[in-house]
Amino acid sequence: MSKQKRFILTEDKIPTQWYNIQADMVNKPMLPINPQNKQPLSVEDLSHIFCTEVSKQELNQKDAWVDIPEEVLDRYKSYRSTPLVRAYGLEKALDTPAHIYFKNESVSPVGSHKLNSALPQAYYCKKEGITHVTTETGAGQWGTALSYAAKVFDIEAKVFQVKISYLQKPYRKSMMQTFGATVYPSPSDVTECGRAILAKDPENCGSLGTAISEAVETAMHTPNCRYTLGSVLNHVTLHQTIIGLEAEKQMEMAGEYPDVVIACFGGGSNFGGLAFPFLRHNILDGKKTQFIAAEPASCPKLTHGVFRYDFGDVAGYTPLLPMYTLGHKFMPANIHAGGLRYHGAGTIVSQLLKDGLMSAVDIKQLESFEAGMLFAQSEGIIPAPESCHAIAAAVNEAKKCKESGESKVILFNLSGHGLIDMTAYDMYLSGKLHNYEFSQEDVYENTKDLDEVK
Amino acid sequence: MSKQKRFILTEDKIPTQWYNIQADMVNKPMLPINPQNKQPLSVEDLSHIFCTEVSKQELNQKDAWVDIPEEVLDRYKSYRSTPLVRAYGLEKALDTPAHIYFKNESVSPVGSHKLNSALPQAYYCKKEGITHVTTETGAGQWGTALSYAAKVFDIEAKVFQVKISYLQKPYRKSMMQTFGATVYPSPSDVTECGRAILAKDPENCGSLGTAISEAVETAMHTPNCRYTLGSVLNHVTLHQTIIGLEAEKQMEMAGEYPDVVIACFGGGSNFGGLAFPFLRHNILDGKKTQFIAAEPASCPKLTHGVFRYDFGDVAGYTPLLPMYTLGHKFMPANIHAGGLRYHGAGTIVSQLLKDGLMSAVDIKQLESFEAGMLFAQSEGIIPAPESCHAIAAAVNEAKKCKESGESKVILFNLSGHGLIDMTAYDMYLSGKLHNYEFSQEDVYENTKDLDEVK
């Protein structure tokens, strides 16, 4: 009898509530504030941009558990639970005593965890009578998920795809179009903000920050339209906790509990989605699990940023968010992990990091692909460039175990597959991929006028 | 409580044997014969090309059940069982009373069912001391699967990829290289057969038949090397019966039994893999399930071919196989469903078709993509162009149910996803995809000198 590799929940065991860590945090995350009057934002303020229900979720610091609507749960069940997999192949390749597990979100129909939040966001919009949604997408994973979710709930979707990603990943655009969405490379000429950037720099490759500005502007100027965001914000992380809540039950099936929980880090929803359900046991039950966010060395807000009130977008359309940031004008290097090219971290993660309840590591691009290749050859799944950062961090932890002889239980999130990113692997294989320099000076320059968070 | 959508077997329920339908067939498939002396082939004859164990499996007409080796089962469990999914979204889109189920082989790490045979073939080679394997690949799905399986069992793989597929799907090549294989576009200049074709027609786009010739030639001229095939042959279909055996148990979980079983058809292993475990109940238990092979209208060996002794490859290196064929010199049109561009059908399927135990339909390229788009938008999964043929046939059956008011249970195989085929979807969306003419005259011309199978 071979050892069990995959742990899958039967449908009756799939969680029916999301977990809102804000309720259990001793130091609550600071509230976003209005840039004009510096007052904390209300649900009313937010619901000009977002639909009402997610605006409420965003500011909810009271309820630890939020019911998943029946219609969303029903759609979750078309791909959930995703498998928890014991990575015996990777363990063998590393010759480590560590037990490595990964949650395989890549088997979602759209190829990543992003659908977990796209479905509820589209559902709530539909329920509130919204007919159009806009969004930005970096790697294309979120845009793909929203395109499909909008189709499910019969809403029109407009997606602003960061131009570098639009060029590097033409298949992403086709996927979104196959699901019925309209896709613009960002910066585009259909918004004021996009035109302004193109006027100054016609070759601008875009960033998540710019694409957010364009999507927000479009939402504000289109009747019956709301903006949706794929990461950073609290409600997105809330929806993603389905990952960790499932993983908790699945680790129990495996008879283990993680010593280390790892996820790649762009805005924080993938990380929080896996980590928060476990972190709750650190807060409430005295568990000592270690939490590691793996961010790119070229866009390292957690390891090299500062804790400031900053805009979520380049143009400054959003509220001011209390977050670890590289400054909203920071233009990330053109790494292939497009989903991690964002200047700031969500407010919950920022508070947790400040309070020492989690940690972060920065991973260089070549190191991330090296880990991704090892994973592909030992587990058969070609990981998304974003997920490669989590794998690299997990590999580092497993190597430490080899040195110390410890059999730590390491759990990481395989947030998506890399089948749309084969150009990046092609470049890696042919030696054309390189690392990028990061300048701490730029961060001081970009953030010196921002208010400190106290 | 929402209705259950997905049915997944726990690891202890995963079948531990493959099903060999040859043992239960009243009229056994005719044996392959030696082109020189017209004598039936022996295991010894075959094992110059294939490893010994699969040569035995190829000619085994006696044992209905074949044990899956422990090492293979262990690797199966890293992705099996694949889910059986009730396609509520598609049913709703079609407004049909039919119950539509699909077996989702697209969640395999390499994206298709092909890994089911690649793993045992690589395993048997390794066990017999083989150090190198060669193969051909059309859509790239088989080549990807073999590349990974070879890496798992530490063997070197050389893959000849049909040139049109190499050009249409550059990401496939990168996937195979990521798994460590060497990839040649076929016709290539590294074989005599390839050079001969290029000399006559430098622009030749290749075909599965040509690529097979190149892979066989390379296997024959490389020390300690064997050839592996991804479809057509009996042992490949044997390995693929894991699909139908799982589906049988999963349909039982769903409390239903299929009235119609559908799969797309290239050489027959995907079709046989799903169908044969159910067809056994037609043969042995008097069930009346209908079996439909969905082939491309531009390469229709089952609906428009003739039953002859023909070569499996273009150059005539293989034994003569008793099969429905369009003639081994038939050059299929450049449809995007590269995996279906093959001139002949496996010997088991050929016998079953002749005996009226199954049926076939031909699907035009545009019809296949129309069905694929509908499936993508209603179920969220973008299907491989090959699988679109099965979906189109299922859609046609579901529409008949709508007309007749019958609630038939339709089961089809989603053999793979189309994420590496987004170029094809892009062309479909921009109106650049078209149908191809098929000429029955060509078939008469190509097959007139072949011996009839009696």
Side-chain angles (χ1 to χ4, degrees), chain A residues 232 265-266 295 299-313 320-331 342-347 349-350 353 438-440 442-453:
Chain A
V232 184
F265 196 94
E295 62 181 4
C299 191
K301 54 258 178 189
L302 297 177
T303 54
H304 294 78
V306 290
F307 199 21
R308 295 287 187 279
Y309 280 102
D310 196 5
F311 291 106
D313 68 325
L320 284 168
L321 299 164
M323 60 186 186
Y324 276 92
T325 180
L326 302 166
H328 66 279
K329 300 277 188 203
F330 179 84
M331 190 54 72
Y342 185 68
H343 65 277
T347 62
V349 164
S350 294
L353 184 71
F438 164 77
S439 155
Q440 192 73 50
D442 281 358
V443 178
Y444 294 135
E445 195 54 39
N446 282 327
T447 58
K448 65 181 180 201
D449 298 330
L450 301 175
D451 289 342
E452 209 161 321
V453 183

Side-chain angles (χ1 to χ4, degrees), chain A residues 69-223:
Chain A
E70 190 65 32
E71 292 82 349
V72 173
L73 199 57
D74 190 58
R75 284 289 167 168
Y76 273 179
K77 288 182 179 172
S78 70
Y79 65 100
R80 307 206 70 86
S81 78
T82 60
L84 176 79
V85 186
R86 173 80 183 265
Y88 286 111
L90 182 60
E91 289 174 21
K92 192 177 154 200
L94 292 168
D95 188 25
T96 176
H99 295 193
I100 309 177
Y101 292 84
F102 63 93
K103 181 75 169 154
N104 187 2
E105 291 292 307
S106 80
V107 300
S108 130
V110 299
S112 83
H113 69 297
K114 292 292 188 185
L115 194 54
N116 302 333
S117 186
L119 285 169
Q121 291 196 50
Y123 165 76
Y124 290 129
C125 282
K126 181 69 178 183
K127 206 178 154 201
E128 294 174 21
I130 306 301
T131 54
H132 291 69
V133 289
T134 68
T135 199
E136 81 298 328
T137 196
Q141 303 269 27
W142 168 248
T144 306
L146 187 77
S147 300
Y148 173 55
K151 175 56 72 177
V152 164
F153 293 110
D154 199 19
I155 297 175
E156 295 288 319
K158 284 185 182 174
V159 181
F160 292 86
Q161 183 177 10
V162 177
K163 195 184 276 169
I164 182 73
S165 156
Y166 189 91
L167 298 173
Q168 281 174 345
K169 308 181 186 184
Y171 285 16
R172 274 284 166 209
K173 175 202 58 169
S174 310
M175 286 182 76
M176 293 186 264
Q177 289 171 337
T178 297
F179 289 133
T182 308
V183 187
Y184 306 98
S186 166
S188 78
D189 60 2
V190 301
T191 66
E192 264 182 52
C193 142
R195 284 188 297 267
I197 291 172
L198 288 175
K200 267 198 267 181
D201 174 15
E203 302 303 313
N204 188 294
C205 281
S207 72
L208 274 173
T210 301
I212 293 174
S213 298
E214 293 205 272
V216 170
E217 184 186 320
T218 304
M220 292 193 300
H221 292 107
T222 308

Side-chain angles (χ1 to χ4, degrees), chain A residues 2 6 11 74 81 178 377, chain B residues 2 6 11 74 81 178 377:
Chain A
S2 59
R6 297 201 310 161
E11 286 191 13
D74 190 58
S81 78
T178 297
Q377 297 197 351
Chain B
S2 60
R6 296 201 313 160
E11 285 191 13
D74 190 59
S81 77
T178 297
Q377 297 197 350

